[in-house]
Amino acid sequence: MGAELISGRAAQMERVTSESSVRVRMDLDGTGTSKISTGVPFFDHMLTALSKHSLIDLEIEASGDTHIDVHHTVEDTAIVIGEVLRTALGDKAGIRRFGEATVPLDEALAQAIVDVSGRPYLVHTGEPEGQQYHLIGGHFTGSMTRHAFEAITYHSGICLHMRVLAGRDPHHIVEAQFKAFARALRAAVESDPRVEGIPSTKGAL
């Protein structure tokens, strides 16, 4: 049930539990094309934005017990995205490793800083009080934003600092974060022609 490398920096994984069924295919050297269906429309919108602005090709098909809550489907999809990202990165030779982006969406502003460090860590700050309780699109609870980033960072082995610097509309606050993450991730996983081998003094990431 683990992720497998397909070719180059493309990987895929299928994960089936009693709560959800998730299949993810990812190509880090893509053009930002995506085909996404999770059964959670707002989450589909966020993952489409993630693909488009990271230039990572994504195919995601998920189903789950959304009649109970979207929590399991969102979490499990994020877990698989993280596992596939970790596998697609391989030994991380020649990448830039670090990426940063500050992205506005109307009144909202979010900053993401990524380190493809091999050490999972998430710092998530700045959402206005009450954001976690908003039901966006009739399905997606605001608290799931942080939870999705937790699952992705933990399972991919990346460090992410996410800060919401401004925002009023719950939809904009979440979307600015996903777009900022996408742009920072794009920079971090890109090849750097000046980097020889692994970009770490330890010789491994």
Side-chain angles (χ1 to χ4, degrees), residues 18 81 83 86 98 104-106 122 124 142 156 160-161 178 180 200:
S18 62
I81 289 171
E83 291 289 340
R86 181 198 295 267
F98 301 100
L105 178 56
D106 296 346
L122 174 68
H124 185 268
S156 64
L160 169 64
H161 283 246
F178 272 89
S200 170

Side-chain angles (χ1 to χ4, degrees), residues 1-196:
M1 201 161 63
E4 60 175 345
L5 195 65
I6 304 168
S7 65
R9 295 203 302 169
Q12 64 183 7
M13 177 178 170
E14 185 171 5
R15 181 179 188 267
V16 178
T17 71
S18 62
E19 297 172 340
S20 69
S21 174
V22 181
R23 183 185 64 82
V24 173
R25 182 185 178 102
M26 174 187 298
D27 186 352
L28 296 184
D29 299 310
T31 60
T33 61
S34 62
K35 183 179 179 182
I36 295 168
S37 177
T38 67
V40 185
F42 183 73
F43 194 41
D44 290 355
H45 181 41
M46 294 303 98
L47 295 177
T48 300
L50 174 61
S51 173
K52 174 64 71 175
H53 296 287
S54 66
L55 296 182
I56 294 172
D57 290 349
L58 270 178
E59 292 182 18
I60 299 175
E61 185 175 354
S63 60
D65 53 3
T66 54
H67 61 287
I68 297 174
D69 187 61
V70 305
H71 186 108
H72 296 147
T73 301
V74 172
E75 177 182 42
D76 292 352
T77 300
I79 286 171
V80 179
I81 289 171
E83 291 289 340
V84 173
L85 175 57
R86 181 198 295 267
T87 298
L89 281 165
D91 64 4
K92 308 179 186 72
I95 65 168
R96 296 186 186 278
R97 177 178 168 177
F98 301 100
E100 185 275 334
T102 303
V103 172
L105 178 56
D106 296 346
E107 88 296 343
L109 184 66
Q111 180 190 47
I113 303 171
V114 167
D115 177 10
V116 184
S117 60
R119 297 182 306 277
Y121 207 92
L122 174 68
V123 177
H124 185 268
T125 61
E127 287 188 342
E129 182 56 36
Q131 171 72 14
Q132 67 270 35
Y133 303 121
H134 278 285
L135 192 62
I136 305 168
H139 300 86
F140 188 93
T141 308
S143 61
M144 292 308 301
T145 307
R146 177 189 174 96
H147 198 50
F149 287 135
E150 283 176 333
I152 291 171
T153 55
Y154 181 82
H155 287 272
S156 64
I158 67 173
C159 172
L160 169 64
H161 283 246
M162 177 68 73
R163 293 196 299 166
V164 176
L165 303 175
R168 173 180 46 82
D169 182 270
H171 182 137
H172 291 172
I173 289 168
V174 180
E175 188 168 345
Q177 291 179 71
F178 272 89
K179 288 179 176 177
F181 176 55
R183 294 291 296 192
L185 185 63
R186 170 182 168 180
V189 305
E190 278 182 342
S191 297
D192 186 337
R194 297 183 62 194
V195 173
E196 296 183 4

